[in-house]
Structure formats: structure tokens, C-alpha cells
Short mmCIF file of all heavy atoms in Angstrom, two decimals:
data_model
loop_
_atom_site.label_atom_id
_atom_site.label_comp_id
_atom_site.label_asym_id
_atom_site.label_seq_id
_atom_site.Cartn_x
_atom_site.Cartn_y
_atom_site.Cartn_z
N THR A 1 115.76 163.14 126.42
CA THR A 1 115.22 163.32 127.71
C THR A 1 115.12 161.94 128.48
O THR A 1 114.66 160.89 127.88
CB THR A 1 113.76 163.85 127.57
OG1 THR A 1 113.02 162.98 126.69
CG2 THR A 1 113.80 165.27 127.06
N TYR A 2 115.72 161.88 129.67
CA TYR A 2 115.89 160.72 130.37
C TYR A 2 115.29 160.81 131.80
O TYR A 2 115.42 161.79 132.40
CB TYR A 2 117.37 160.24 130.56
CG TYR A 2 118.15 160.23 129.22
CD1 TYR A 2 119.36 160.96 129.18
CD2 TYR A 2 117.70 159.54 128.12
CE1 TYR A 2 120.01 161.05 128.00
CE2 TYR A 2 118.38 159.55 126.93
CZ TYR A 2 119.63 160.31 126.91
OH TYR A 2 120.28 160.35 125.62
N MET A 3 114.72 159.69 132.33
CA MET A 3 114.10 159.74 133.71
C MET A 3 114.30 158.47 134.27
O MET A 3 114.16 157.36 133.70
CB MET A 3 112.60 160.10 133.56
CG MET A 3 111.94 160.27 134.88
SD MET A 3 111.00 158.90 135.41
CE MET A 3 110.49 159.43 137.00
N ALA A 4 114.55 158.46 135.62
CA ALA A 4 114.57 157.21 136.51
C ALA A 4 114.08 157.60 137.81
O ALA A 4 114.51 158.60 138.38
CB ALA A 4 116.00 156.57 136.59
N GLY A 5 113.22 156.65 138.45
CA GLY A 5 112.70 156.94 139.68
C GLY A 5 111.23 157.09 139.85
O GLY A 5 110.57 156.40 139.04
N LYS A 6 110.82 157.82 140.75
CA LYS A 6 109.35 157.89 141.07
C LYS A 6 108.69 158.92 140.18
O LYS A 6 109.04 160.13 140.15
CB LYS A 6 109.20 158.34 142.55
CG LYS A 6 107.77 158.49 143.07
CD LYS A 6 107.79 158.78 144.56
CE LYS A 6 106.44 159.20 145.05
NZ LYS A 6 106.40 159.29 146.48
N TRP A 7 107.66 158.51 139.51
CA TRP A 7 106.85 159.27 138.55
C TRP A 7 105.59 159.84 139.36
O TRP A 7 105.42 161.14 139.47
CB TRP A 7 106.52 158.46 137.35
CG TRP A 7 105.65 159.16 136.28
CD1 TRP A 7 104.43 158.73 135.94
CD2 TRP A 7 106.02 160.38 135.56
NE1 TRP A 7 103.88 159.64 134.95
CE2 TRP A 7 104.91 160.64 134.71
CE3 TRP A 7 107.06 161.20 135.55
CZ2 TRP A 7 104.88 161.70 133.80
CZ3 TRP A 7 107.06 162.25 134.65
CH2 TRP A 7 105.97 162.49 133.80
N HIS A 8 104.70 159.04 139.75
CA HIS A 8 103.52 159.37 140.55
C HIS A 8 102.53 160.24 139.87
O HIS A 8 101.87 160.95 140.54
CB HIS A 8 104.02 159.90 141.83
CG HIS A 8 103.11 159.64 142.93
ND1 HIS A 8 103.22 160.30 144.28
CD2 HIS A 8 102.03 158.77 143.12
CE1 HIS A 8 102.30 159.79 145.12
NE2 HIS A 8 101.53 158.84 144.41
N LEU A 9 102.59 160.27 138.51
CA LEU A 9 101.67 161.13 137.78
C LEU A 9 100.82 160.48 136.67
O LEU A 9 100.19 161.07 135.83
CB LEU A 9 102.50 162.23 137.00
CG LEU A 9 103.28 163.20 138.07
CD1 LEU A 9 104.22 164.13 137.29
CD2 LEU A 9 102.33 163.98 138.83
N GLY A 10 100.76 159.15 136.74
CA GLY A 10 99.97 158.33 135.94
C GLY A 10 100.58 157.03 135.61
O GLY A 10 101.87 156.90 135.65
N ALA A 11 99.69 155.99 135.44
CA ALA A 11 100.20 154.62 135.29
C ALA A 11 99.85 153.93 134.04
O ALA A 11 100.10 152.68 133.89
CB ALA A 11 99.67 153.80 136.54
N THR A 12 99.38 154.64 133.09
CA THR A 12 99.04 154.06 131.78
C THR A 12 100.18 154.35 130.77
O THR A 12 100.98 155.29 131.05
CB THR A 12 97.77 154.70 131.15
OG1 THR A 12 97.90 156.01 130.92
CG2 THR A 12 96.63 154.41 132.13
N PRO A 13 100.41 153.72 129.63
CA PRO A 13 101.43 154.05 128.72
C PRO A 13 101.32 155.52 128.31
O PRO A 13 102.42 156.23 128.18
CB PRO A 13 101.21 153.14 127.54
CG PRO A 13 100.44 151.95 128.24
CD PRO A 13 99.67 152.41 129.26
N GLN A 14 100.06 156.04 128.17
CA GLN A 14 99.94 157.40 127.74
C GLN A 14 100.28 158.42 128.82
O GLN A 14 100.75 159.52 128.61
CB GLN A 14 98.44 157.67 127.30
CG GLN A 14 98.01 156.88 126.11
CD GLN A 14 97.67 155.43 126.42
OE1 GLN A 14 97.46 155.05 127.59
NE2 GLN A 14 97.67 154.56 125.49
N SER A 15 100.11 158.06 130.08
CA SER A 15 100.36 158.97 131.20
C SER A 15 101.75 158.71 131.85
O SER A 15 102.10 159.40 132.79
CB SER A 15 99.17 158.97 132.20
OG SER A 15 99.20 157.64 132.87
N SER A 16 102.53 157.66 131.43
CA SER A 16 103.76 157.36 131.88
C SER A 16 104.79 158.31 131.43
O SER A 16 104.51 159.20 130.60
CB SER A 16 104.17 155.87 131.36
OG SER A 16 104.49 156.00 130.03
N PRO A 17 106.08 158.24 132.00
CA PRO A 17 107.03 159.14 131.44
C PRO A 17 107.31 159.03 129.96
O PRO A 17 107.48 160.10 129.24
CB PRO A 17 108.37 158.59 132.21
CG PRO A 17 107.79 158.13 133.44
CD PRO A 17 106.53 157.44 133.08
N LEU A 18 107.25 157.84 129.38
CA LEU A 18 107.31 157.68 127.90
C LEU A 18 106.23 158.49 127.22
O LEU A 18 106.41 159.21 126.19
CB LEU A 18 107.20 156.27 127.53
CG LEU A 18 107.28 156.00 126.00
CD1 LEU A 18 108.72 156.23 125.45
CD2 LEU A 18 106.77 154.64 125.58
N GLY A 19 104.94 158.43 127.75
CA GLY A 19 103.85 159.18 127.09
C GLY A 19 103.92 160.57 127.35
O GLY A 19 103.22 161.39 126.63
N ARG A 20 104.72 161.11 128.33
CA ARG A 20 104.77 162.50 128.62
C ARG A 20 106.15 163.06 128.36
O ARG A 20 106.61 164.00 128.93
CB ARG A 20 104.42 162.77 130.06
CG ARG A 20 102.96 162.46 130.49
CD ARG A 20 101.91 162.99 129.58
NE ARG A 20 101.97 164.44 129.30
CZ ARG A 20 100.97 165.27 129.74
NH1 ARG A 20 99.87 164.82 130.35
NH2 ARG A 20 101.10 166.55 129.44
N GLY A 21 106.85 162.47 127.40
CA GLY A 21 107.96 163.25 126.80
C GLY A 21 109.45 162.64 127.01
O GLY A 21 110.34 163.18 126.51
N PHE A 22 109.47 161.60 127.69
CA PHE A 22 110.78 161.12 128.04
C PHE A 22 111.34 160.04 126.95
O PHE A 22 110.58 159.06 126.69
CB PHE A 22 110.91 160.44 129.49
CG PHE A 22 111.02 161.52 130.48
CD1 PHE A 22 109.82 161.98 131.11
CD2 PHE A 22 112.16 162.12 130.91
CE1 PHE A 22 109.90 162.94 132.15
CE2 PHE A 22 112.17 163.03 131.88
CZ PHE A 22 111.04 163.48 132.56
N THR A 23 112.54 160.25 126.43
CA THR A 23 113.01 159.40 125.34
C THR A 23 113.21 157.91 126.02
O THR A 23 112.89 156.91 125.36
CB THR A 23 114.41 159.87 124.92
OG1 THR A 23 114.29 161.23 124.54
CG2 THR A 23 114.89 159.11 123.76
N HIS A 24 113.86 157.89 127.21
CA HIS A 24 114.04 156.69 127.91
C HIS A 24 113.74 156.89 129.38
O HIS A 24 114.00 157.96 129.96
CB HIS A 24 115.47 156.12 127.78
CG HIS A 24 115.91 155.71 126.42
ND1 HIS A 24 115.27 154.62 125.88
CD2 HIS A 24 116.77 156.19 125.54
CE1 HIS A 24 115.72 154.39 124.67
NE2 HIS A 24 116.57 155.34 124.42
N SER A 25 113.08 155.84 130.04
CA SER A 25 112.72 156.01 131.37
C SER A 25 112.55 154.68 132.09
O SER A 25 112.19 153.71 131.50
CB SER A 25 111.40 156.78 131.59
OG SER A 25 110.35 155.99 130.84
N PHE A 26 112.94 154.58 133.37
CA PHE A 26 112.64 153.54 134.26
C PHE A 26 111.95 154.07 135.53
O PHE A 26 112.64 154.91 136.16
CB PHE A 26 113.94 152.86 134.66
CG PHE A 26 113.66 151.63 135.57
CD1 PHE A 26 113.31 150.33 135.07
CD2 PHE A 26 113.60 151.81 136.92
CE1 PHE A 26 113.01 149.23 135.80
CE2 PHE A 26 113.31 150.69 137.74
CZ PHE A 26 113.09 149.42 137.28
N ALA A 27 110.65 153.89 135.60
CA ALA A 27 109.99 154.60 136.58
C ALA A 27 109.05 153.81 137.47
O ALA A 27 108.47 152.82 136.95
CB ALA A 27 109.10 155.70 135.86
N PHE A 28 108.86 154.17 138.79
CA PHE A 28 107.91 153.67 139.64
C PHE A 28 106.67 154.54 139.49
O PHE A 28 106.81 155.78 139.77
CB PHE A 28 108.38 153.50 140.99
CG PHE A 28 107.29 153.11 142.01
CD1 PHE A 28 106.67 151.79 141.84
CD2 PHE A 28 106.89 153.89 143.01
CE1 PHE A 28 105.72 151.43 142.68
CE2 PHE A 28 105.85 153.52 143.89
CZ PHE A 28 105.25 152.35 143.76
N THR A 29 105.43 154.00 139.32
CA THR A 29 104.33 154.88 138.99
C THR A 29 103.68 155.36 140.22
O THR A 29 102.81 156.28 140.13
CB THR A 29 103.37 154.11 138.13
OG1 THR A 29 102.78 153.00 138.89
CG2 THR A 29 103.95 153.61 136.77
N GLY A 30 103.96 154.80 141.39
CA GLY A 30 103.09 155.17 142.57
C GLY A 30 103.80 155.95 143.67
O GLY A 30 104.75 156.67 143.41
N GLY A 31 103.29 155.81 144.83
CA GLY A 31 103.76 156.59 145.96
C GLY A 31 105.01 156.01 146.76
O GLY A 31 105.84 156.66 147.16
N GLY A 32 104.86 154.67 146.92
CA GLY A 32 105.98 154.05 147.64
C GLY A 32 105.94 152.50 147.53
O GLY A 32 104.81 151.89 147.15
N ILE A 33 107.03 151.90 147.60
CA ILE A 33 107.22 150.39 147.41
C ILE A 33 108.59 150.09 148.10
O ILE A 33 109.40 150.88 148.31
CB ILE A 33 107.21 150.16 145.89
CG1 ILE A 33 107.08 148.58 145.57
CG2 ILE A 33 108.47 150.64 145.23
CD1 ILE A 33 106.86 148.43 144.23
N SER A 34 108.71 148.74 148.25
CA SER A 34 110.04 148.21 148.81
C SER A 34 111.15 148.82 147.89
O SER A 34 111.09 148.90 146.63
CB SER A 34 110.04 146.73 148.72
OG SER A 34 111.32 146.28 148.99
N HIS A 35 112.19 149.16 148.60
CA HIS A 35 113.38 149.61 147.83
C HIS A 35 114.28 148.53 147.22
O HIS A 35 115.24 148.78 146.50
CB HIS A 35 114.25 150.51 148.78
CG HIS A 35 113.62 151.87 149.15
ND1 HIS A 35 113.77 152.95 148.33
CD2 HIS A 35 112.82 152.14 150.21
CE1 HIS A 35 113.00 153.92 148.93
NE2 HIS A 35 112.52 153.44 150.07
N PHE A 36 113.98 147.25 147.71
CA PHE A 36 114.61 146.05 147.17
C PHE A 36 113.73 145.48 145.98
O PHE A 36 112.68 145.93 145.71
CB PHE A 36 114.80 145.14 148.25
CG PHE A 36 115.74 145.52 149.33
CD1 PHE A 36 115.32 145.86 150.59
CD2 PHE A 36 117.08 145.82 149.07
CE1 PHE A 36 116.19 146.41 151.61
CE2 PHE A 36 117.98 146.28 150.02
CZ PHE A 36 117.52 146.61 151.29
N GLY A 37 114.27 144.32 145.48
CA GLY A 37 113.60 143.80 144.27
C GLY A 37 112.43 142.95 144.46
O GLY A 37 111.84 142.61 143.48
N ASP A 38 111.92 142.80 145.74
CA ASP A 38 110.90 141.97 146.03
C ASP A 38 109.54 142.74 145.65
O ASP A 38 108.44 142.12 145.51
CB ASP A 38 110.68 141.58 147.49
CG ASP A 38 110.98 142.76 148.41
OD1 ASP A 38 110.64 143.88 148.05
OD2 ASP A 38 111.39 142.47 149.55
N GLN A 39 109.61 144.05 145.45
CA GLN A 39 108.38 144.78 145.07
C GLN A 39 107.25 144.75 145.98
O GLN A 39 106.04 144.81 145.61
CB GLN A 39 107.93 144.55 143.59
CG GLN A 39 109.07 144.70 142.57
CD GLN A 39 108.49 144.70 141.20
OE1 GLN A 39 107.70 145.49 140.75
NE2 GLN A 39 109.02 143.74 140.38
N LEU A 40 107.46 144.47 147.35
CA LEU A 40 106.34 144.50 148.28
C LEU A 40 105.73 145.84 148.36
O LEU A 40 106.51 146.87 148.40
CB LEU A 40 106.93 144.03 149.67
CG LEU A 40 107.30 142.55 149.69
CD1 LEU A 40 107.88 142.19 151.04
CD2 LEU A 40 106.12 141.63 149.52
N PRO A 41 104.46 145.97 148.36
CA PRO A 41 103.79 147.30 148.30
C PRO A 41 103.76 148.04 149.58
O PRO A 41 103.95 147.51 150.64
CB PRO A 41 102.35 146.87 147.89
CG PRO A 41 102.12 145.50 148.59
CD PRO A 41 103.48 144.78 148.47
N LEU A 42 103.58 149.39 149.38
CA LEU A 42 103.42 150.19 150.48
C LEU A 42 102.19 149.93 151.28
O LEU A 42 102.04 150.01 152.47
CB LEU A 42 103.41 151.68 150.03
CG LEU A 42 103.53 152.79 151.09
CD1 LEU A 42 104.92 152.77 151.77
CD2 LEU A 42 103.31 154.18 150.47
N ASN A 43 101.10 149.57 150.56
CA ASN A 43 99.88 149.18 151.00
C ASN A 43 99.12 148.36 149.98
O ASN A 43 99.39 148.61 148.78
CB ASN A 43 99.03 150.32 151.62
CG ASN A 43 98.71 151.35 150.55
OD1 ASN A 43 97.75 151.07 149.76
ND2 ASN A 43 99.31 152.43 150.44
#
């Protein structure tokens, strides 16, 4: 099970994609953020 992208369902290790069943994942935990590498927040 693989996942990449927006999760938005929890930000702890236990509630992250890894904690909810994904073998490998690269996830953004929130609602929105810069699409570039600067990680400037939505708010």
C-alpha cells in the first residue's frame, strides 16, 4: 500500500498514513501549503 499527497486526516505518527495502513507514504498532513519547496503555510 502506497500513498503520496494530501492526507488531512491526522498529524501524529499513529494517525499518519503509516499509522493507518500504508506501507510507504509521503504525505502532507494539512489542508494547504506552498506547492514549491519553501513550505510557506496556507495560514
Side-chain angles (χ1 to χ4, degrees):
T1 53
Y2 310 129
M3 185 261 176
K6 179 173 171 177
W7 178 239
H8 212 188
L9 297 173
T12 65
Q14 296 78 17
S15 62
S16 72
L18 178 72
R20 297 309 306 242
F22 285 93
T23 310
H24 290 295
S25 61
F26 180 89
F28 175 61
T29 61
I33 194 170
S34 170
H35 292 274
F36 295 112
D38 50 26
Q39 300 194 59
L40 290 173
L42 191 69
N43 63 76

